[in-house]
Amino acid sequence: MADKNIAVRYFSKGGHTKAVAEAIAGALGLEARDIAAPIEEPVDILFLGASVYWGGVNGAVKDYINALGKEKIGKAVIFSTSGMAERAYPQMSKLLSGAGIAVETENFYCRGQFMGMNKGRPNEDDLKAAAEFALKMASDDPEAVAAPEAGTEEEKADE
């Protein structure tokens, strides 16, 4: 992790993706910032988070990705939340790759509370898993850092 320039950006309507972003940033000693904050200097790793709303990411996320300059981003690492068992990874990965930005294939996902479903999510275990995921992705030796998956066995079977 030494000498890596890392940024954490997120889009969150209900605060769930923000909570995950803050856990990721906290583990790395950084500040999580909303996507309204541009990437001003080149970063080795951009942790980028979004929620899935009715089957897709918000248009603001698409606009943000389209405005990113590939020369400023070494690699994007995606994290996401949703009320249902769907990750933002496929859509965000396609957008980032289309913009010429390398994307880490491993991503973080946990459910967020939505209309009474997934009450209390993301929970403490989810946030701990997000922090461990961040440390693994930022490590010079990712295999040396264990990163347990968030969620229940039932959720994992749904994916």
Side-chain angles (χ1 to χ4, degrees), residues 1-144:
M1 210 166 19
D3 300 324
K4 286 186 184 175
N5 190 6
I6 301 172
V8 180
R9 296 292 188 274
Y10 66 90
F11 177 85
S12 184
K13 281 186 176 180
H16 304 116
T17 305
K18 178 181 181 181
V20 173
E22 290 173 343
I24 287 170
L28 301 172
L30 302 170
E31 178 185 359
R33 299 182 70 193
D34 185 273
I35 60 171
I39 299 294
E40 296 175 355
E41 298 193 10
V43 296
D44 299 306
I45 301 172
L46 171 62
F47 284 88
L48 183 58
S51 306
V52 176
Y53 299 100
W54 304 109
V57 297
N58 188 282
V61 176
K62 295 174 189 176
D63 292 343
Y64 181 78
I65 289 171
N66 289 332
L68 285 172
K70 67 180 180 180
E71 66 283 349
K72 286 189 177 181
I73 312 298
K75 170 175 73 172
V77 177
I78 298 169
F79 61 97
S80 61
T81 63
S82 72
M84 304 294 204
E86 182 177 344
R87 298 170 186 260
Y89 180 84
Q91 186 178 17
M92 290 175 66
S93 176
K94 184 176 180 179
L95 291 167
L96 287 159
S97 295
I101 297 170
V103 180
E104 169 63 44
T105 56
E106 192 169 342
N107 65 97
F108 181 82
Y109 167 80
C110 73
R111 291 191 180 177
Q113 185 172 321
F114 177 70
M115 298 180 71
M117 295 183 296
N118 312 314
K119 191 164 179 71
R121 303 291 298 276
N123 59 31
E124 187 177 319
D125 290 339
D126 296 326
L127 299 178
K128 180 180 177 192
E132 291 174 357
F133 170 77
L135 292 172
K136 178 180 178 184
M137 292 297 101
S139 173
D140 291 327
D141 184 10
E143 297 304 316

